[in-house]
Amino acid sequence: MENTLSMASTKPSLASRLMAHPLIRIVLGLVLTFAAVPLTMIVAAQLVAKPYRIVWPQLLAAVFVWIGYRFYLRRIEKRQPTELATSGMARELGAGLLLGGALVALTFALLGVLGVYRFDGVNPFSVMMLVSLAELALVGLAEEAMFRGVIFGVTERSLGSKAAIVISSLVFGLGHLPNEGVSFLAVGVITVYGVLQAALYMKTRRLWICIGSHVAWNYCVSTVFSSTVSGHAATDGLLRGELVGNTLLTGGVFGVEGSLIPLLLIAAAALYYLRNAFRRA
């Protein structure tokens, strides 16, 4: 009788069982990490005129993402937020920036050799070319915390690394379906890029290199090569040029991320880093 009562008293509550479920953890993680972003932008739009909403709302939202993700790790995952620890941050960010920039440069170089990217000159440098970094830093931090930190992390602990790579990368790719000009190839490129990011995360167990790669890719495509990023209209950047020809190579309306060339380059990089990540495991 006493044993029965003891077992009943130690049975986990409904709340604790729900909190232990991977899907519940993922939903909570996504909400805690990202919810402050639209709220910050809405409040800023209501309180401050548009000409004065430059850089600071994005940086403020990024701070809230940082806080929300750390809160999720401490209170829901019950662990220290080591993947966002500042020790070694500069080195890892730098490595990610170099990787993302190199992939973009190689992509446009190959497209140039194939006659698809036609270079037309260099625009004068302007400080305004740095303004987009605030938004891209927010996007890089938020998306990497959500897709690699939350979705990959929870799935890996529940189903293992291989399942986590597949699921987090597919969700990342499919998340771009609403973007203008999206294609099957474009989703494939973004999904493979998600595999690369997952491999980088597995290799370091940190988010900084992933954030650096993400920011550099978006910045170099948009502000260095003046090209469309994931269906978002191109703006004048440092280099003037245009993509012309077969949409399998140009990516069409979606931009270079819908091209076969980056698919091959990113896949090669992903395989390299995956091999290293599993070798370390």
Side-chain angles (χ1 to χ4, degrees), residues 192 195-197 199-200 263-279:
V192 172
V195 174
L196 170 61
Q197 295 294 85
L200 293 174
L263 176 67
L264 298 175
L265 291 175
I266 295 168
L271 287 173
Y272 172 79
Y273 283 103
L274 275 176
R275 184 178 179 183
N276 287 343
F278 279 109
R279 186 179 296 169

Side-chain angles (χ1 to χ4, degrees), residues 143-144 146-148 151 164-198 214 230-231 254 257-258 263:
E143 291 193 358
E144 293 309 315
M146 290 192 299
F147 289 101
R148 258 55 70 179
I151 297 177
I165 292 169
V166 172
I167 292 172
S168 64
S169 301
L170 277 174
V171 174
F172 184 58
L174 294 173
H176 291 73
L177 280 175
N179 294 24
E180 185 177 358
V182 70
S183 64
F184 179 79
L185 181 56
V187 173
V189 173
I190 303 297
T191 299
V192 172
Y193 189 79
V195 174
L196 170 61
Q197 295 294 85
H214 200 142
S230 302
F254 193 79
E257 290 163 321
L263 176 67

Side-chain angles (χ1 to χ4, degrees), residues 8-125:
S9 64
T10 58
K11 183 179 179 180
S13 65
L14 176 61
S16 63
R17 294 201 302 274
L18 285 174
M19 292 296 289
H21 195 284
L23 279 178
I24 299 296
R25 286 177 177 258
I26 287 174
V27 170
L28 286 173
L30 296 181
V31 170
L32 289 170
T33 300
F34 188 72
V37 176
L39 290 175
T40 301
M41 298 306 169
I42 291 170
V43 171
Q46 293 295 319
L47 298 179
V48 183
K50 187 174 181 179
Y52 304 102
R53 297 199 308 269
I54 300 175
V55 174
W56 69 265
Q58 291 84 3
L59 295 180
L60 180 61
V63 171
F64 286 137
V65 168
W66 170 292
I67 293 171
Y69 182 66
R70 289 172 64 89
F71 180 86
Y72 158 74
L73 291 181
R74 290 181 183 274
R75 296 304 178 92
I76 307 300
E77 292 291 327
K78 306 295 184 183
R79 63 185 182 86
Q80 294 297 312
T82 54
E83 54 261 59
L84 283 179
T86 55
S87 176
M89 176 183 72
R91 181 182 67 255
E92 293 166 7
L93 264 177
L97 290 170
L98 286 173
L99 175 61
L103 284 172
V104 173
L106 189 53
T107 293
F108 279 91
L110 289 175
L111 291 173
V113 169
L114 293 171
V116 177
Y117 178 70
R118 296 179 181 175
F119 177 69
D120 191 40
V122 179
N123 291 320
F125 175 78

